[in-house]
Amino acid sequence: MLFRSGVGIPGFWAGFEASLAKHGSKTKKDLCAAAIAYARDGFEVHPFLWGEVFEQANLFGKSAEAREIFFPNDRMVHPGELLFQKRAADTLERLVSEGNRFFYEGDFARDYCATVKADGGVATPEDFARYDVRYDEPARGTYRGYDIVASPMPDHGGQHVIEILNMLEFLDLQRLGPVNESAETLWQMIRIVAQVFGDGGKHRDPKFHPYPARQILSKEYAKMRFDLLQMDGPLTKNEPAPPAGSCHVTAVDAAGNVATVLHSCMSLPWSNGLFTHGVTIVASGAHFARVMPGPGERASVYVAPNIVMKGGVPIVASGSPSGSLLQNIVQNYTNMLDFNVPIADSVNRPRFGNAYTASGGALLAVEADFRTDVRDAVRKRGIPLDTVNPQNYGMGSFEGIYIDQATGTRTARPDTRRCSAAETA
């Protein structure tokens, strides 16, 4: 029942409209035109998308709308074939013309709730009507002279990135070496990430629950945690990784404005097989597995959009999908900020993180091209590291843009662990 009753009230359209009203320079019609065209006219099925459909094909039996998209003529779409979402195109056109009225107060809200209720879940039109947009101040921190802003509570990950970097400052990384070359760096980073992730599971929506953000983000607290961690033994168990189910976008416009946005459903795609108006109703209940929100509270979402700045000017902005987003971002940032590794080289380096198993679990693992002597030394110190394929999709997908302060040049490198892309407009 978790996945059924764990269906939430989507915030993305309200967030889109509010952001457009506050920061936008184009119309909804212009911004949605490409999405409508792809939905109505079709796009070629990428092998990664095909793999996701294949893995969860059994879920599409319960929904005629799902079969219409992924099983036209009663067979699954193949890589390279066109995938059409004509109902979604109609929905997008109504969103352009009717906006929040359609989504939160009209037909979409009513039909969404009816579909969820019929499947045993809980969502009401009143829940939709009560939804409001929140503007929260970002979490702020520093790392070796850089300033960092990141997604704040109730979102966990952005603040966690700052907490982890605060603790890493107490390591002489220049002496130890980067994570893929130093057993000590790998040993410390694995344990620091695990501690921060584990502690974060206790924190709830600060609008409803006291939360000492200043203390948790302080260097003094980081020093205490770091010192206590040095007294601990090996990891006794792996923390379970949340399911994959996020898309991250980082963008820089011609004026130098930077946006880093993650849209997360915190579940494998489709996961309950429910659709309405051509749109999947995601089972975001995994967001509640760490902290169950009370009535009216926001879920504590595991996302980590962030921007690193020097002298108030952005240097790099990034984020990542997947349960390994903390490990992914921190490994790339220490590569770039501590060792001046170019973003293209950093993204391609082997990583550690949480790899997903065929049964839906997770393994603390390193990719097979990680240096053997480094991973073996960490295993001997008691950390249960498995070995998985190179470019493992569970290791996250670093979606970042590096901005050269001297020249203004923007550089990005698609992470081949997912079907990511870097583009210029």
Side-chain angles (χ1 to χ4, degrees):
M1 286 298 294
L2 172 62
F3 285 118
R4 292 179 178 178
S5 62
V7 169
I9 304 304
F12 77 93
W13 186 260
F16 168 76
E17 292 231 354
S19 298
L20 179 61
K22 189 170 184 178
H23 303 290
S25 59
K26 294 187 176 183
T27 66
K28 283 190 290 185
K29 183 176 181 180
D30 287 341
L31 292 171
C32 292
I36 293 170
Y38 280 122
R40 191 171 301 287
D41 302 333
F43 62 88
E44 290 187 3
V45 174
H46 188 280
F48 190 94
L49 173 59
W50 182 86
E52 297 278 75
V53 175
F54 180 87
E55 185 179 33
Q56 299 187 73
N58 62 299
L59 296 171
F60 301 131
K62 67 168 63 175
S63 170
E65 289 192 26
R67 297 192 299 277
E68 179 182 285
I69 299 168
F70 299 106
F71 282 78
N73 304 314
D74 294 327
R75 73 163 180 82
M76 192 171 75
V77 292
H78 292 166
E81 293 182 342
L82 292 181
L83 185 142
F84 299 95
Q85 300 173 92
K86 298 184 185 296
R87 293 178 192 265
D90 293 341
T91 297
L92 286 167
E93 287 179 342
R94 289 194 66 179
L95 286 169
V96 168
S97 61
E98 302 175 45
N100 283 335
R101 294 193 311 278
F102 166 62
F103 196 96
Y104 290 97
E105 300 170 13
D107 293 346
F108 186 90
R110 184 191 66 243
D111 295 340
Y112 179 107
C113 295
T115 302
V116 170
K117 183 178 180 180
D119 198 56
V122 179
T124 70
E126 291 76 21
D127 293 329
F128 268 80
R130 281 194 298 265
Y131 188 86
D132 64 332
V133 174
R134 274 170 52 174
Y135 289 95
D136 294 318
E137 280 296 309
R140 298 180 183 274
T142 63
Y143 179 70
R144 305 193 199 276
Y146 296 94
D147 296 310
I148 305 166
V149 293
S151 55
M153 288 291 296
D155 294 344
H156 283 149
Q159 177 163 303
H160 287 355
V161 168
I162 297 173
E163 293 176 66
I164 293 165
L165 292 175
N166 276 345
M167 294 175 72
L168 287 174
E169 275 194 327
F170 298 106
L171 291 173
D172 185 355
L173 292 184
Q174 290 295 319
R175 179 181 62 83
L176 297 175
V179 64
N180 64 309
E181 298 177 9
S182 165
E184 180 66 19
T185 301
L186 178 60
W187 158 261
Q188 295 282 4
M189 195 176 288
I190 288 172
R191 296 161 74 241
I192 289 170
V193 172
Q195 183 187 71
V196 170
F197 179 80
D199 289 349
K202 306 168 188 175
H203 304 316
R204 306 179 67 176
D205 188 344
K207 185 176 179 180
F208 297 86
H209 303 274
Y211 178 71
R214 182 174 296 180
Q215 176 183 340
I216 288 174
L217 292 174
S218 70
K219 303 294 185 182
E220 293 77 17
Y221 185 61
K223 175 62 173 170
M224 180 183 71
R225 297 171 91 180
F226 180 83
D227 289 343
L228 290 173
L229 187 64
Q230 306 314 302
M231 300 167 57
D232 288 348
L235 295 175
T236 56
K237 63 182 179 67
N238 290 339
E239 287 287 345
S246 305
C247 297
H248 193 93
V249 176
T250 303
V252 182
D253 69 10
N257 297 305
V258 178
T260 174
V261 180
L262 189 138
H263 185 186
S264 174
C265 64
M266 199 70 159
S267 68
L268 293 171
W270 311 297
S271 63
N272 58 19
L274 303 181
F275 278 72
T276 188
H277 288 263
V279 179
T280 179
I281 299 177
V282 297
S284 51
H287 278 308
F288 312 150
R290 299 185 78 199
V291 182
M292 177 61 72
E297 295 178 19
R298 290 291 201 267
S300 295
V301 181
Y302 184 52
V303 302
N306 64 86
I307 303 173
V308 177
M309 297 186 290
K310 187 81 168 181
V313 178
I315 298 289
V316 59
S318 81
S320 172
S322 188
S324 297
L325 61 89
L326 293 178
Q327 296 95 324
N328 172 23
I329 292 170
V330 170
Q331 286 173 90
N332 277 287
Y333 273 177
T334 53
N335 287 341
M336 288 187 282
L337 303 180
D338 287 286
F339 299 99
N340 297 315
V341 177
I343 187 171
D345 294 341
S346 179
V347 169
N348 286 332
R349 288 191 174 190
R351 292 182 197 152
F352 80 89
N354 293 303
Y356 297 111
T357 67
S359 62
L363 298 168
L364 178 61
V366 291
E367 293 174 329
D369 48 345
F370 214 96
R371 269 179 47 178
T372 304
D373 61 326
V374 171
R375 68 192 191 209
D376 286 350
V378 169
R379 286 178 181 140
K380 288 179 181 178
R381 295 180 70 175
I383 290 182
L385 275 178
D386 210 320
T387 302
V388 295
N389 59 289
Q391 301 291 293
N392 182 276
Y393 93 109
M395 300 295 175
S397 182
F398 188 76
E399 309 299 339
I401 299 175
Y402 186 88
I403 307 167
D404 188 298
Q405 280 194 313
T407 65
T409 302
R410 294 89 180 260
T411 308
R413 178 60 178 251
D415 194 329
T416 54
R417 293 166 179 84
R418 303 285 178 99
C419 48
S420 62
E423 298 182 353
T424 57

